[in-house]
Amino acid sequence: MGIGEDTRSDADLLFAFRNGDAMALNALVGRYQGPLHGYLRAMSGSAADADDLFQETWMRVIRNPGSFRGGAFNAWLWRIARNLLIDRLRRRKPAISLDDMTAEGTAYRELTPGTEPDPGDEVAGAEIGRVIAAAVTRLPPDQRDVFLLRTQAGLTFAEIARLRHVPLNTALGRMHYAVLRLRQELGGMYTILRGR
Amino acid sequence: MKYYGSTDRTMNHDTDPLRELEATSARLTPHVRRGCDSVPSPDVLAAIRTAATRQAGAPRILPFVPWAIAAAATLLVLLSGWTLFRVRQATEVARQATLMDDMLFLCAEASVVPETIAPGAQREERARRLLNLQGLGEAAAPATKVSAESEELPSTDSQSHNTRELQAQRCG
């Protein structure tokens, strides 16, 4: 998707799309495709589900850009995505547990894409990122959601509280526990991160 | 939650927990993004691009147009109704006025009215109209007859006399 270096704000791009500029929407998709798809993938646990949800989210944006009433575009975008995600998770009954074993004797958790470090990855930064990503997938869903909404979507805690319909203190508390848990999971690596 | 409860007496006032949490988030964000960001499949991106192009090229209805059409239609209906009401009202008023005028005229004629008030032909016409309005078909015939005869008579005095007799009967 032609991302380009469009310096217009999100709201300006959406307004331009409403006025018939398809490239403006492409720029928006390019701007958010990584974090949004990553969030959906981490929350749904499936690349295929993430693809479906990602596409449906943008289809909603395309069909009804007028429902954006100002404010933070990313909060609006993640609200759409999150509602679709919740609908999907409600419909999907967990037929198997991630801890169940396949016929080959491998746990389904091991097959979940993006949760383990890539052995061939020699870039230290990417390695740390993958370790964090793996640790994030092991967070309880509520904590994982708040953590990703803050770090990946870039929402403020107030926006997260509004989005999740919880008090601000609850959102802060979940983030706090998520960070504590990550600190335990990452061990010495977390100390390195703090030093950076 | 120990840190964030407003009534929590164990809260450490030396450090701002929210600021600390924000700082931790900021430190972790690039690593999380590097590790968690993922790319959708090319098919998905192509589908989105196609839908965006199609939607952008589709004709758009300006948001105020439906409202303007609805308002114009409502105004048209109201104006039509009001006009119809006014026309019917005016017709009725005119009919009543004519009838009243004729009644007054005839009653005045039955009494003593100077000949100069109205010429003979006009009086005949008004009398005939009144009788027709009242649905007096049988009475209209003599009036017509009188009118027909009056055309042959050189003077309008006898015509006026006949009409006056007839009108006097009707007025009692």
Side-chain angles (χ1 to χ4, degrees):
Chain A
M1 184 146 309
I3 299 172
E5 289 298 326
D6 206 319
T7 54
R8 286 178 287 178
S9 71
D10 296 341
D12 286 345
L13 286 172
L14 191 65
F15 186 74
F17 171 67
R18 286 179 66 181
N19 288 330
D21 181 4
M23 291 308 293
L25 189 102
N26 291 343
L28 269 178
V29 173
R31 193 174 285 181
Y32 285 104
Q33 69 176 17
L36 181 61
H37 192 267
Y39 168 80
L40 292 170
R41 184 171 169 170
M43 292 304 295
S44 68
S46 154
D49 279 351
D51 272 352
D52 286 350
L53 292 166
F54 182 84
Q55 181 172 341
E56 186 55 31
T57 300
W58 283 107
M59 289 300 175
R60 296 248 175 136
V61 173
I62 289 168
R63 280 197 294 265
N64 201 9
S67 65
F68 175 63
R69 304 285 181 203
F73 173 80
N74 56 344
W76 180 66
L77 182 65
W78 254 265
R79 183 176 297 121
I80 296 171
R82 200 170 170 280
N83 287 340
L84 290 169
L85 174 70
I86 290 169
D87 288 346
R88 172 70 62 99
L89 293 178
R90 277 182 186 152
R91 279 201 304 270
R92 189 177 66 186
K93 293 187 177 177
I96 53 171
S97 163
L98 288 176
D99 294 324
D100 289 346
M101 305 296 278
T102 63
E104 290 79 24
T106 311
Y108 283 104
R109 184 184 298 281
E110 302 294 321
L111 302 177
T112 307
T115 58
E116 292 300 322
D118 185 351
D121 197 344
E122 297 178 1
V123 182
E127 181 69 21
I128 292 171
R130 290 192 181 280
V131 171
I132 291 177
V136 166
T137 59
R138 288 190 287 273
L139 289 173
D142 282 342
Q143 293 175 22
R144 190 193 326 157
D145 193 22
V146 172
F147 182 82
L148 289 175
L149 286 173
R150 180 69 192 91
T151 56
Q152 211 165 18
L155 304 187
T156 65
F157 286 114
E159 286 169 342
I160 293 170
R162 262 200 306 277
L163 183 65
R164 298 218 39 161
H165 305 292
V166 295
L168 177 62
N169 275 353
T170 305
L172 290 170
R174 285 175 184 168
M175 182 69 184
H176 176 74
Y177 283 122
V179 169
L180 284 182
R181 206 178 178 102
L182 282 177
R183 189 181 296 174
Q184 289 171 357
E185 289 250 354
L186 297 175
M189 193 176 282
Y190 185 82
T191 314
I192 296 171
L193 290 177
R194 290 202 67 173
R196 288 189 173 204
Chain B
M1 178 64 205
K2 193 159 111 182
Y3 282 155
Y4 307 109
S6 57
T7 58
D8 191 349
R9 294 174 188 280
T10 65
M11 186 173 170
N12 183 1
H13 293 280
D14 294 335
T15 58
D16 183 353
L18 177 58
R19 192 172 297 169
E20 191 182 330
L21 210 49
E22 289 282 10
T24 306
S25 304
R27 266 199 310 275
L28 290 175
T29 293
H31 303 290
V32 173
R33 286 202 171 157
R34 197 177 296 130
C36 293
D37 279 13
S38 56
V39 182
S41 72
D43 292 346
V44 168
L45 293 176
I48 293 170
R49 193 187 306 130
T50 304
T53 306
R54 192 181 302 132
Q55 180 75 14
R60 286 174 300 284
I61 298 173
L62 294 174
F64 60 83
V65 168
W67 290 103
I69 291 172
T74 307
L75 196 64
L76 193 65
V77 168
L78 288 174
L79 271 175
S80 303
W82 183 77
T83 305
L84 190 63
F85 170 73
R86 292 292 295 174
V87 166
R88 291 187 66 168
Q89 196 181 35
T91 306
E92 180 63 19
V93 166
R95 195 181 73 82
Q96 292 284 347
T98 305
L99 190 62
M100 185 62 69
D101 188 35
D102 284 334
M103 291 291 286
L104 290 172
F105 174 77
L106 288 172
C107 289
E109 282 279 299
S111 310
V112 180
V113 178
E115 184 70 18
T116 53
I117 285 180
Q122 189 179 345
R123 284 201 306 274
E124 290 297 326
E125 177 58 30
R126 297 183 78 167
R128 194 161 46 247
R129 199 168 61 214
L130 176 66
L131 293 172
N132 285 337
L133 276 173
Q134 291 176 333
L136 301 174
E138 71 280 7
T144 308
K145 187 180 175 186
V146 168
S147 177
E149 286 170 359
S150 69
E151 289 177 2
E152 296 174 4
L153 293 174
S155 168
T156 58
D157 288 346
S158 60
Q159 174 192 351
S160 300
H161 178 72
N162 288 340
T163 308
R164 268 197 298 274
E165 277 184 356
L166 180 62
Q167 290 163 354
Q169 285 174 3
R170 292 297 159 207
C171 287

